[in-house]
């Protein structure tokens, strides 16, 4: 990122590992919709000459003197969020906010990201996970961000077996929320999107009803389908600035609204007063950045290896080499009909 709205290539000094750190050479990377918010909406404020990217798997090329569990040559999964584990926020149970709100998200936020020949990982023992032998790069690179973020959306929604759930947005994050909701036991499962390629995969991942937001108001469609009752829980994993209001309207009193969407613009997000029971509806609004770190990555590996999730099915476009990086990033911006997620192999 050269500046807001501008991308290109820059030369930087090679990173150096501190005693607890590692340097990793990427083997596969993926652009994220968050990179698009960051560059084209300037959602994090101005950033100059910042290396983008926070989804990577790679090979360790250097480790610090105190790193115990990783060595040069290991193939690793690198979480998008790499907390500082010796921090008050970790003691409070929120590693993603170590160092300040959202500050566990370092790559392509305030630290150079992974779209580079080599990148730096803080606290390697706590932030890296071994990539299992035989796991495809396409599957592995869906684990740093897409799988844990989407699944966290379902967890935050406190879904109980047999409940009726809606997932707003079925890009790669929302698709993983659909998969997560199915794992947690959702009964009826609405998936809101438009593009057919996403709707088909949502159905495969467990959605029972596809709601097309271009074919009428989604609140009306879901209220009608549930006989006016609404759903028990809604996960927001995409959409526009009115998604929160829609989620509140379609969720029953006492239900839960969970958000993993990145609201990239505007100073405030509206809450419809009446649908929120004038503030007394017991509709619980939750939202969060994914936790990141080694343990989360190992849990994602466990889900993938034992076939509870198949995130590689979201990879619709595979490119080779850094020369195709910009093309992959721009695809993520333009979201053509046949795209779910692009990956670049290096
Ligand atoms: P995509 O853009 O690929 O998917 C967005 C989805 O929302 C699509 O299904 C799209 O439908 C749908 N959509 C668009 N407009 C509307 C609307 N008005 N109403 C309802 N649905 C709509 O995004 P990703 O899946 O890649 O990411 C989703 C969000 O998650 C992004 O904001 C991203 O920045 C954020 N994110 C958050 C993270 C976290 O840690 N919390 C980490 C990673 C990402 P269609 O395309 O078919 O028209
Ligand atoms: Zn991301």
């Amino acid at each position: 990122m050269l500046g807001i709205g501008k991308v290109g290539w820059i030369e930087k000094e090679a990173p150096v590992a501190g005693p607890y750190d590692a340097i990793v050479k990427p083997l596969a990377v993926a652009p994220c919709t968050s990179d698009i918010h960051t560059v084209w909406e300037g959602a994090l404020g101005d950033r100059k000459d910042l290396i983008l990217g926070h989804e990577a798997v790679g090979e360790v090329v250097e480790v610090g003197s105190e790193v115990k569990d990783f060595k040069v040559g290991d193939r690793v999964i690198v979480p998008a969020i790499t907390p500082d584990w010796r921090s008050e926020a970790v003691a409070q149970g929120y590693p993603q906010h170590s160092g300040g709100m959202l500050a566990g998200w370092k790559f392509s936020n305030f630290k150079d990201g992974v779209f580079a020949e080599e990148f730096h990982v803080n606290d390697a023992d706590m932030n890296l996970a071994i990539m299992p032998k035989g796991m495809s790069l396409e599957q592995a690179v869906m684990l740093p961000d897409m799988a844990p973020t989407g699944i966290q959306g379902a967890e935050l929604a406190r879904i109980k077996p047999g409940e009726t759930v809606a997932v707003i947005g079925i890009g790669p994050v929302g698709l993983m929320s659909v998969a997560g909701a199915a794992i947690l036991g959702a009964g009826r499962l609405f998936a809101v999107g438009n593009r057919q390629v996403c709707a088909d995969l949502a159905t495969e991942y467990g959605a029972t009803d596809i709601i097309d937001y271009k074919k009428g108001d989604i609140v009306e469609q879901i209220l009608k389908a549930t006989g006016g009752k609404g759903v028990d829980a809604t996960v927001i994993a995409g959409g526009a600035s009115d998604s929160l209001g829609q989620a509140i309207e379609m969720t029953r009193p006492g239900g839960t609204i969970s958000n993993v969407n990145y609201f990239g613009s505007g100073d405030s997000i509206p809450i419809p007063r009446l649908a929120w029971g004038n503030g007394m509806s017991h509709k619980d609004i939750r939202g969060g950045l994914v936790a990141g770190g080694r343990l989360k990555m190992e849990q994602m590996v466990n889900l993938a290896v034992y076939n509870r999730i198949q995130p590689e099915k979201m990879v619709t476009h595979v490119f080779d080499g850094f020369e195709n990086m910009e093309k992959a990033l721009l695809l993520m911006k333009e979201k053509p009909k046949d795209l779910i997620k692009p990956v670049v192999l290096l």
Side-chain angles (χ1 to χ4, degrees):
M1 176 173 182
L2 303 176
I4 292 176
K6 276 182 274 171
V7 292
W9 292 103
I10 46 176
E11 288 286 343
K12 288 216 172 179
E13 292 289 315
V16 178
Y20 293 96
D21 309 334
I23 304 300
V24 174
K25 174 176 84 110
L27 296 171
V29 298
C32 176
T33 303
S34 301
D35 293 311
I36 307 304
H37 293 302
T38 302
V39 178
W40 281 280
E41 288 181 75
L44 298 171
D46 206 4
R47 296 285 193 273
K48 286 209 166 32
D49 293 346
L50 174 77
I51 298 176
L52 289 170
H54 50 261
E55 297 180 27
V57 294
E59 187 182 314
V60 174
V61 293
E62 185 187 334
V63 289
S65 57
E66 302 300 318
V67 174
K68 294 185 178 68
D69 296 345
F70 296 90
K71 57 183 189 316
V72 170
D74 283 347
R75 284 157 76 98
V76 290
I77 299 173
V78 185
I81 311 299
T82 49
D84 294 312
W85 290 92
R86 290 165 58 90
S87 66
E88 194 181 343
V90 169
Q92 289 161 339
Y94 292 93
Q96 54 277 70
H97 302 301
S98 61
M101 189 163 64
L102 309 182
W105 174 23
K106 298 184 171 63
F107 292 129
S108 72
N109 182 358
F110 53 81
K111 170 185 175 179
D112 279 326
V114 302
F115 299 165
E117 286 160 297
E118 292 181 354
F119 59 86
H120 171 273
V121 181
N122 60 296
D123 204 346
D125 281 332
M126 290 299 285
N127 281 326
L128 292 176
I130 291 288
M131 183 179 141
K133 284 201 175 54
M135 179 178 271
S136 72
L137 290 172
E138 287 86 347
Q139 183 179 60
V141 79
M142 292 300 104
L143 305 184
D145 190 9
M146 296 299 95
T149 298
I151 291 170
Q152 180 195 242
E155 285 178 270
L156 286 173
R158 298 195 180 109
I159 297 163
K160 291 191 250 347
E163 285 195 333
T164 297
V165 176
V167 175
I168 302 179
I170 44 170
V173 172
L175 284 166
M176 284 288 102
S177 297
V178 169
I183 289 171
L184 293 178
R188 193 170 190 183
L189 179 45
F190 293 95
V192 181
N194 167 256
R195 287 172 297 143
Q196 194 60 42
V197 62
C198 299
D200 290 345
L201 195 53
T203 304
E204 194 177 331
Y205 283 173
T208 56
D209 299 69
I210 303 295
I211 302 289
D212 187 342
Y213 69 92
K214 293 193 175 163
K215 290 198 180 139
D217 183 89
I218 63 173
V219 176
E220 279 172 22
Q221 293 187 64
I222 287 180
L223 287 179
K224 186 167 173 226
T226 54
K229 285 199 301 198
V231 298
D232 298 302
T234 302
V235 181
I236 307 167
S241 58
D242 57 355
S243 298
L244 179 64
Q246 292 173 320
I248 292 169
E249 290 182 46
M250 67 174 73
T251 306
R252 65 158 167 86
T256 305
I257 294 106
S258 129
N259 179 71
V260 288
N261 190 35
Y262 175 160
F263 288 101
S265 52
D267 289 331
S268 55
I269 300 164
I271 289 180
R273 182 174 58 83
L274 292 179
W276 203 36
N278 305 327
M280 297 177 279
S281 64
H282 286 99
K283 297 184 187 182
D284 201 358
I285 302 170
R286 315 180 79 206
L289 180 69
V290 68
R294 174 177 177 169
L295 178 62
K296 183 61 76 181
M297 292 302 99
E298 290 177 348
Q299 291 168 343
M300 294 303 117
V301 165
N302 211 9
L303 285 171
V305 165
Y306 293 98
N307 202 29
R308 306 279 184 207
I309 56 172
Q310 299 89 31
E312 69 286 356
K313 291 186 177 170
M314 305 193 298
V315 178
T316 50
H317 294 62
V318 180
F319 296 97
D320 273 309
F322 276 112
E323 60 276 21
N324 286 308
M325 194 64 243
E326 193 166 347
K327 199 186 277 178
L329 182 70
L330 291 175
L331 266 184
M332 211 54 190
K333 176 166 181 269
E334 284 143 22
K335 305 268 157 76
K337 268 194 157 26
D338 59 344
L339 178 95
I340 302 180
K341 188 84 176 175
V343 161
V344 182
L345 304 178
L346 299 166

